[in-house]
Amino acid sequence: MQKRLVVQGRLSDDQLSTLSDLFKVDVLPNPNVLDAPENRAVLAGAHGIIGSGLAITPALLDAAPQLEVIATISVGYDSIPVDELTKRGIMLCNTPDVLTETTADTGFTLIMATARRAVELAEWLQAGKWQASIGPAQFGSDVHGKTLGMVGFGRIGQAVARRGALGFGMQVLYSNASPKPALERELGAQRRELNELLAEADFVCVTVPLNAETEHLIGTDEFALMKPSGIFINIARGKVVDETALVNALENGVIKAAGLDVFEQEPLPASSPLPKMPNVVALPHIGSATHETREAMAQRAADNVRLALLGKHPISLVNEEAYQ
Ligand code: 8YV
């Protein structure tokens, strides 16, 4: 019997056709709401699900009793209850590595854009305000030679740090559960407690995964520790930061500026003050969003699900215990 694979989207025709040669592939009728009534019939028979931003609940798992693997087209899996999957023997696969450099590029885009006020001044020019030589009112801050504080020092954090240290001569500080001696040697990076890092860094860049320990890791007290000239960057998950505290810190000059690719609620509600603030560069979660990288992520997820459904070890398996 052919196994059944449910596809939520984002796969190329080639990727779909390769998977269709091996499995009975059903495209989700409603790709936006996983537990929508019209999806129930395909989920009921599914052995595998592939897609991104999958909001998995125990009820949904109950409704898909044959499920063997979920392959998310993302590195993050904060919307998926891993323990619940493991308990049921369902594998969870993600797409690390292939998006590391692209997401680090996004981080550095935000560092540069906030420090040099690139978006604000481009809009100023567009509005016809460039009528004499610019002066201090348009000046920004240097990036090179400054101190970059990485909150989280996994693959993406290290890639941002490498850009800072090797490309911009920055001093790198990092806070992380475990020390990273190889990176300390390579980049001259120094490990700090979070509070020390916040106080010393010119740029604080968050790259930790979202979980129970990191939810609202950065709030009023943490912003208060930063320099008033400090610039805050978040390319991790919005919920790592207390967004109300961030708005207050930006409005009251507690910190200078913020570059944000992620928000507590996505898409960002129109009522959010953040994109309208001149000292904020807000992007619509573009972290990994290049043609090349999204293609590579989809390919990795397709490879993961193919291997898992054929009884082989997937390339990127989150819960090893579920592999039998
Ligand atoms: C997007 C990401 O979440 O991989 C991740 O964890 O944050 C991004 O790549 C992904 O595109 C899902 O929409």
Side-chain angles (χ1 to χ4, degrees), residues 93-227:
C93 304
N94 66 342
T95 62
D97 305 316
V98 292
L99 50 56
T100 301
E101 298 301 329
T102 297
T103 309
D105 285 349
T106 301
F108 234 86
T109 301
L110 287 171
I111 290 174
M112 295 299 294
T114 46
R116 302 303 302 271
R117 302 169 56 191
V119 175
E120 179 196 353
L121 292 173
E123 284 170 357
W124 180 83
L125 184 155
Q126 220 168 34
K129 294 184 182 167
W130 190 21
Q131 290 173 359
S133 293
I134 60 155
Q138 286 78 41
F139 293 172
S141 316
D142 277 339
V143 173
H144 68 271
K146 293 287 182 70
T147 298
L148 174 61
M150 298 305 306
V151 180
F153 213 41
R155 284 173 284 247
I156 295 171
Q158 293 171 18
V160 173
R162 207 167 268 124
R163 282 160 177 70
L166 306 179
F168 290 78
M170 297 176 92
Q171 166 69 60
V172 173
L173 307 178
Y174 70 98
S175 73
N176 198 60
S178 55
K180 302 282 179 189
L183 271 290
E184 293 184 11
R185 282 192 298 276
E186 182 191 342
L187 306 179
Q190 294 176 19
R191 187 163 170 236
R192 292 281 192 276
E193 292 303 321
L194 177 61
N195 285 359
E196 296 167 346
L197 177 146
L198 292 167
E200 284 180 57
D202 298 301
F203 295 87
V204 171
C205 180
V206 178
T207 62
V208 286
L210 173 64
N211 53 43
E213 283 88 60
T214 60
E215 187 162 352
H216 280 198
L217 178 70
I218 309 288
T220 305
D221 294 346
E222 287 68 31
F223 289 121
L225 288 170
M226 284 179 63
K227 299 177 184 180

Side-chain angles (χ1 to χ4, degrees), residues 10 52-53 73-77 95 99 236-237 285 287-288 294 297:
R10 285 229 190 139
S52 66
I73 311 175
S74 65
V75 65
Y77 45 84
T95 62
L99 50 56
R237 284 291 183 266
H285 198 148
S288 62
R294 284 296 171 84
M297 288 164 69

Side-chain angles (χ1 to χ4, degrees), residues 3-304:
K3 289 194 173 163
R4 302 183 80 105
L5 173 63
V6 170
V7 175
Q8 177 226 29
R10 285 229 190 139
L11 294 187
S12 68
D13 290 346
D14 278 356
Q15 288 162 340
L16 271 178
S17 135
T18 307
L19 290 169
S20 303
D21 289 343
L22 296 166
F23 313 112
K24 165 85 180 68
V25 171
D26 293 305
V27 175
L28 262 194
N30 182 342
N32 300 319
V33 186
L34 199 54
D35 66 356
E38 58 271 33
N39 289 341
R40 281 192 198 132
V42 287
L43 288 173
H47 297 93
I49 302 178
I50 182 168
S52 66
L54 298 166
I56 305 288
T57 58
L60 195 125
L61 297 174
D62 288 343
Q66 317 206 52
L67 204 57
E68 296 172 21
V69 58
I70 295 177
T72 177
I73 311 175
S74 65
V75 65
Y77 45 84
D78 40 279
S79 66
I80 302 177
V82 187
D83 291 347
E84 189 64 39
L85 261 61
T86 309
K87 214 160 64 189
R88 297 170 188 240
I90 301 169
M91 289 176 268
L92 173 62
C93 304
N94 66 342
T95 62
D97 305 316
V98 292
L99 50 56
T100 301
E101 298 301 329
T102 297
T103 309
D105 285 349
T106 301
F108 234 86
T109 301
L110 287 171
I111 290 174
M112 295 299 294
T114 46
R116 302 303 302 271
R117 302 169 56 191
V119 175
E120 179 196 353
L121 292 173
E123 284 170 357
W124 180 83
L125 184 155
Q126 220 168 34
K129 294 184 182 167
W130 190 21
Q131 290 173 359
S133 293
I134 60 155
Q138 286 78 41
F139 293 172
S141 316
D142 277 339
V143 173
H144 68 271
K146 293 287 182 70
T147 298
L148 174 61
M150 298 305 306
V151 180
F153 213 41
R155 284 173 284 247
I156 295 171
Q158 293 171 18
V160 173
R162 207 167 268 124
R163 282 160 177 70
L166 306 179
F168 290 78
M170 297 176 92
Q171 166 69 60
V172 173
L173 307 178
Y174 70 98
S175 73
N176 198 60
S178 55
K180 302 282 179 189
L183 271 290
E184 293 184 11
R185 282 192 298 276
E186 182 191 342
L187 306 179
Q190 294 176 19
R191 187 163 170 236
R192 292 281 192 276
E193 292 303 321
L194 177 61
N195 285 359
E196 296 167 346
L197 177 146
L198 292 167
E200 284 180 57
D202 298 301
F203 295 87
V204 171
C205 180
V206 178
T207 62
V208 286
L210 173 64
N211 53 43
E213 283 88 60
T214 60
E215 187 162 352
H216 280 198
L217 178 70
I218 309 288
T220 305
D221 294 346
E222 287 68 31
F223 289 121
L225 288 170
M226 284 179 63
K227 299 177 184 180
S229 58
I231 293 182
F232 180 78
I233 307 292
N234 189 2
I235 55 168
R237 284 291 183 266
K239 290 193 176 118
V240 173
V241 178
D242 176 347
E243 215 162 87
T244 309
L246 172 62
V247 170
N248 286 336
L250 287 161
E251 275 175 351
N252 299 316
V254 177
I255 64 171
K256 186 170 185 184
L260 308 168
D261 188 42
V262 288
F263 302 89
E264 286 204 83
Q265 198 186 324
E266 295 180 9
L268 186 64
S271 58
S272 171
L274 286 165
K276 297 162 204 109
M277 298 174 82
N279 53 346
V280 170
V281 175
L283 296 174
H285 198 148
I286 66 163
S288 62
T290 64
H291 291 292
E292 301 90 329
T293 293
R294 284 296 171 84
E295 160 80 21
M297 288 164 69
Q299 188 58 49
R300 170 63 63 88
D303 289 340
N304 281 334

